[in-house]
Amino acid sequence: MIAEREVTRRNFLKIVGSVGAGFALGSFTAISGCSPKKAVASSGSRDFAPNGYLKIEPDGTITVTIFKSDMGQGVRTSMAMLVAEELDADWDAIKVVQAPASAAASVQGLGVGGSSSTQTTLTQMRQIGAAAKTMLVAAAAQGWGVDPSSCTTSNGIVMHEASGRSAPYKDLLSAANTMPVPNLTTVRLKDPKTFKIVGKPRNRIDNPLVVTGKAKYGIDVKIDGMKYAVIARPPTMGGSLKSFDAAEAKKIEGVTDVVKVASGVAVVATNTWAAIKGRNALKITWDPGPNPNLDTASILTQLKSMLTTQKPAVPAGGKSVEATLDLPYLAHATMEPMNAVADFRDGRCDIWVGTQNPGGAQQDVATLLGIAPKDVTVNVMLVGGGFGRRGTVDYAVEAADVSRAAKAPIKLLWTREDDMRNDFYRPMSHHSFFGAVDKDGNPAVWLQQAVLTEGNGMMKTEPNAQTIYALPAAQCLIHGGIKPPVRTGAWRSVINGNMVPANECFFDVLAHLGGKDPLELRLKLVGDPRLKTVLKMAADKVGWDKPLPPGSGRGIACFNGYLAAIAHVVELTVKGDEIHVDRVVAVIDVGMAVNPRGIEAQIQGCISDGLATALRAEITVDKGEIVQSSWDNYLWMTPEAMPKVEVYIIQTGDKVAGMGETGYPSVPPAVANAVFAATGKRVRKFPIKVSELV
Amino acid sequence: MASYTIHVNGADHTIDALPDMPLLWVLRDFLDLTGTKYGCGIGACGACTVIMDGEATRSCQVQIKDVASAKVTTIEGLDVNGNHPVQQSWVTHDVPQCGYCQCGQIMSAVALLSKNPKPSDKEIDEAYAAQICRCGTYVRIREAVKHAGGHMGEK
C-alpha cells in the first residue's frame, strides 16, 4: 500500500512538474514538509495531502498553502477561494498557511508584483482543487461500487443521488490517497457560471488573526537569543562612513555591540529602545560623497533639459495649447517599516521577513554570506504593506550582515525615518505637451514628452505611453538617461502612475480648448470598448450633467491595464487654499471577479492613494538628503479628509484582472481635472496647491 | 535601568527598563504583546494606540516612568477570541487590508465608543485625527465604527 501510494504521489509530481515554468509544485511539496516519502511516513493514512498546496485532515480541516505574499491585496483569500471552489469545499473548513522559500524550494513564482498574483495562479489553483476533488470522488465511488460520473459534490460532501448515499470528504481521506492522480492539464474544471465561492464576496481569511493582534508580521518575530539592531546610514545620497566613535553608545544600558556593516554602523542591543538610543549616541563622521548640493530643483532642471523644442504644424483655423506637469518622487511608506530577523550561524542563515520577493531575499542573502541559496531559509511573514517596496530585499540582506558581524540572531528595525529616507522612490517626472485642435474643435495634434528619473535601472521606460485615444498624428517621446543618485523602484502601478495622470490631464486641456465636453470627447475617441462602458457608467452614477455649486467641480479620467478598465469621477470644492474632495465614483470592469469584496477594498485603497498623492504627499531632496522623514511631513490621507466613495464592479469575460495597481493611475488626474472645473485654473504640479494653479 | 510595575490587560508586570523607554517597546519587546505596532515613534500615525485609563493613547509617546498605576489595555486584552463588538464589526465589515495598523484603529474605536456609542461623523473624525491607514481602509473603518457603536455592551 505504501509503495503504491508513493508511486501515485510521484506520478502526481511528475505530472505537475510538466505543467510549465513557475509552477514548481514538486518543490513546494518538499518545502511544506511533505516530500513524497515523508508525507507517507508521517501522515500514514490519516491525512489526504495530494500535493504541497493542499491538505485535508481527518477533522475536515482543509489547509491551502499560499505561495504568494499577502501585503494587503488579499491573495491569501482569493487563492484559497479558487481551490475551495473546484474542490467544492465548505468555505468555513478552509485554512491557509504561507509557503516559505527554504533550502529545498525552488522559489520561482513566490514573488508578487504587477497585479499578477491572482491572474497567474488562477488556473493552477483551480486545477489543484479539481484534482483533489476527482480523487475524493473516485474514492467514494469505488467504495460504493458506482461510476464516479454518477456522483456529485457539494460543501465538502460526495453524494450518489441514485442510491441516496453520501460521505464527507474527511471520511474518504485514506481511500483518496490510493486513487490515481489526474493530469492537471486535462482535469475537468467547472464552468464559471456554476461557481459558488469564486465571484461571491468573501471577507479576508486573516481577519480573525488581525483583529486579535495575533497576526504575525516580520516585525513581530522573536527567536531565542535574538538581539535588536538599528543601523546609522549616511544621510546624504552617495555618502559613506569615514569614522565612528561608539564609546557613548556603549554606555547606554542594553547596548551590547556596535559593529560596522556594509550600509553603515549597526547598534545591537537587548531591546529596540536601547538600540535607538545607542544610535543617537554614536559620534560618526560621514563623507558626504559626490552629491552634497543635490536638490529637487536641480533634478527638475536636468529633466527639462531633455525636452525637444519641436512643434508640429497647427491646422488652418485651429488653435494650439502647451502644458506641463511635474510629478514628485514618492515614498512607499508602508505602515510596517522595513525590518527582518536573521540568524546566521554554522554556514546557514534563517531569515524571517515580510517580502514580495522571497526568492530574491534567499539569493541576495546567500550572495552576501558566500553560502549556497539552499542554506538560506526565508520564512515569509505577513506583510504590513508593500506597494512595490518589498520587491527589493535590501533590508533582509542588511539583517544578515548585522547577524554575521554581531555573531547573534538579529532583528533589524528601520525606524520610520530610516524607511522614508532610504526608500526606492517612485520616480520624479516632468511631462511636456503640445496639442492643437482643428477649426471644429477636434484634436488634431498631440505631442507629449515625458522625462522620468532613472535610479536603479528599474524604470527603463517602455514606450507604452501612447494614448488610449484615436488621435491623429499623436507622438509620444519618452526621454531617458537622467539618473540622479536618488534610488527609484516600483511603486503601485509603476510607470502608469506617472504617464496616466499626465495624459489624462492634457486630454482634458485639449477637450476644453476645442470646446468639447471631456467625457463626450473621451467616449468619441477611446478605442477600448470596455473603457467606453466604464466611462459611461461612471458618468451615469455621478450624474455628469448635474450642475454643481460655484467653487465645486467634477473631473473624469480613465485607465486600462492589468486586464481591467476603470474610470474615476471626482467631485471637489475649492475654498480659499483648501481643496476638499466631496465624492469619488469608480467604475471598474474586472473581467472575472474572484473576490468582489477584495476588489472593492483595493479600489477604495487606490482612491486613498490617489487623493494623498494628488493633494498631499511628495518626497523632495535638499543638500543631498531626503527632506521628509515621517508622517508629520510626508502627508498621507487621513480619515477626516476621505470623501464619499462609491465603487461599482462590472464583469465581462473570463480573464481575471489584477487589482493591486489598477485603481490608482486615473485618480490623480480626475482630481486635477475637477480642480480645473472648480476654478478654471490648471494643475502644473502634484501635489496640487491652490497657490500654484495657473 | 530601574524597576517598574505596570498594569496591563488585568495583570501586573514588573520590568527593568530605561526610565524613558516608551510603553510601546515595553509591550512589544518585554511583554511580547506585539499586536501594538510601531509605526513612527512620534505619535503621528496611531499604529501603537492602546487604552490607558479609558483614553486612546499613543504608546510610543508614553515613557514607562510615567505609566505609574494606569490601567493599560492592548488589543490582546480586548477579547482573545475576537468577540468584542468592535472586533466583530471589523471582521464583518472586512476592514483590514495589510492589517498592520488595524489593532490601533480598533483601540481608538473602543475608546471612542465606550464613551459615546453613537458618534457623529465629526466625532469619529476627531477621535481618528491623524490616525493613518496606508492601505486606505478609511471608508470601512467608518462603517465599522458606526455599526459597532450600536452593539456596544452586547458582549
Side-chain angles (χ1 to χ4, degrees), chain A residues 417-438:
Chain A
E417 292 79 3
D418 298 337
D419 190 271
M420 200 158 284
R421 290 189 161 142
N422 296 278
D423 199 352
F424 291 82
Y425 303 92
R426 195 284 301 268
M428 176 177 166
S429 61
H430 177 75
H431 305 260
S432 171
F433 291 87
F434 178 86
V437 295
D438 64 19

Side-chain angles (χ1 to χ4, degrees), chain B:
Chain B
M1 298 264 190
S3 181
Y4 299 93
T5 298
I6 60 171
H7 194 77
V8 181
N9 298 334
D12 287 334
H13 300 270
T14 300
I15 288 140
D16 284 325
L18 295 168
D20 60 353
M21 182 184 284
L23 175 60
L24 166 69
W25 298 116
V26 176
L27 296 173
R28 290 185 54 82
D29 292 355
F30 291 170
L31 302 184
D32 294 334
L33 296 170
T34 53
T36 303
K37 300 299 194 220
Y38 166 73
C40 66
I42 62 167
C45 76
C48 66
T49 302
V50 298
I51 297 177
M52 270 179 78
D53 286 341
E55 300 291 333
T57 304
R58 299 192 173 187
S59 62
C60 73
Q61 295 299 294
V62 180
Q63 299 180 355
I64 186 158
K65 67 179 163 55
D66 299 325
V67 174
S69 62
K71 286 189 171 54
V72 177
T73 306
T74 71
I75 190 77
E76 292 88 353
L78 208 53
D79 185 296
V80 73
N81 297 313
N83 290 323
H84 187 283
V86 174
Q87 289 170 313
Q88 289 188 333
S89 187
W90 245 249
V91 171
T92 316
H93 289 84
D94 198 34
V95 176
Q97 286 188 31
C98 87
Y100 187 78
C101 73
Q102 296 298 340
C103 293
Q105 306 280 2
I106 288 169
M107 297 314 278
S108 287
V110 171
L112 168 67
L113 297 173
S114 301
K115 286 184 253 178
N116 178 4
K118 291 225 156 51
S120 65
D121 279 319
K122 191 158 173 279
E123 287 166 332
I124 294 175
D125 286 345
E126 281 163 10
Y128 276 96
Q131 185 147 0
I132 293 169
C133 169
R134 177 63 182 79
C135 297
T137 63
Y138 301 118
V139 177
R140 292 186 182 183
I141 288 175
R142 189 177 295 274
E143 288 168 4
V145 169
K146 288 187 167 176
H147 175 86
H151 294 80
M152 289 293 277
E154 283 179 12
K155 204 204 143 191

Side-chain angles (χ1 to χ4, degrees), chain A residues 486-540:
Chain A
V486 182
R487 307 195 299 188
T488 56
W491 195 98
R492 197 169 210 167
S493 79
V494 202
I495 192 173
N496 299 301
N498 295 77
M499 299 305 296
V500 174
N503 288 353
E504 285 294 280
C505 282
F506 191 64
F507 190 88
D508 204 79
V509 170
L510 210 52
H512 282 280
L513 179 72
K516 309 282 185 195
D517 178 274
L519 166 69
E520 293 304 322
L521 193 65
R522 278 183 172 80
L523 290 173
K524 187 174 158 196
L525 295 178
V526 80
D528 179 352
R530 295 166 81 203
L531 272 179
K532 235 175 236 183
T533 306
V534 295
L535 281 164
K536 265 189 214 155
M537 189 168 157
D540 281 352

Side-chain angles (χ1 to χ4, degrees), chain A residues 10-30:
Chain A
R10 282 194 182 139
N11 286 346
F12 187 76
L13 297 179
K14 209 173 125 198
I15 293 157
V16 168
S18 70
V19 170
F23 188 33
L25 192 97
S27 299
F28 281 102
T29 299

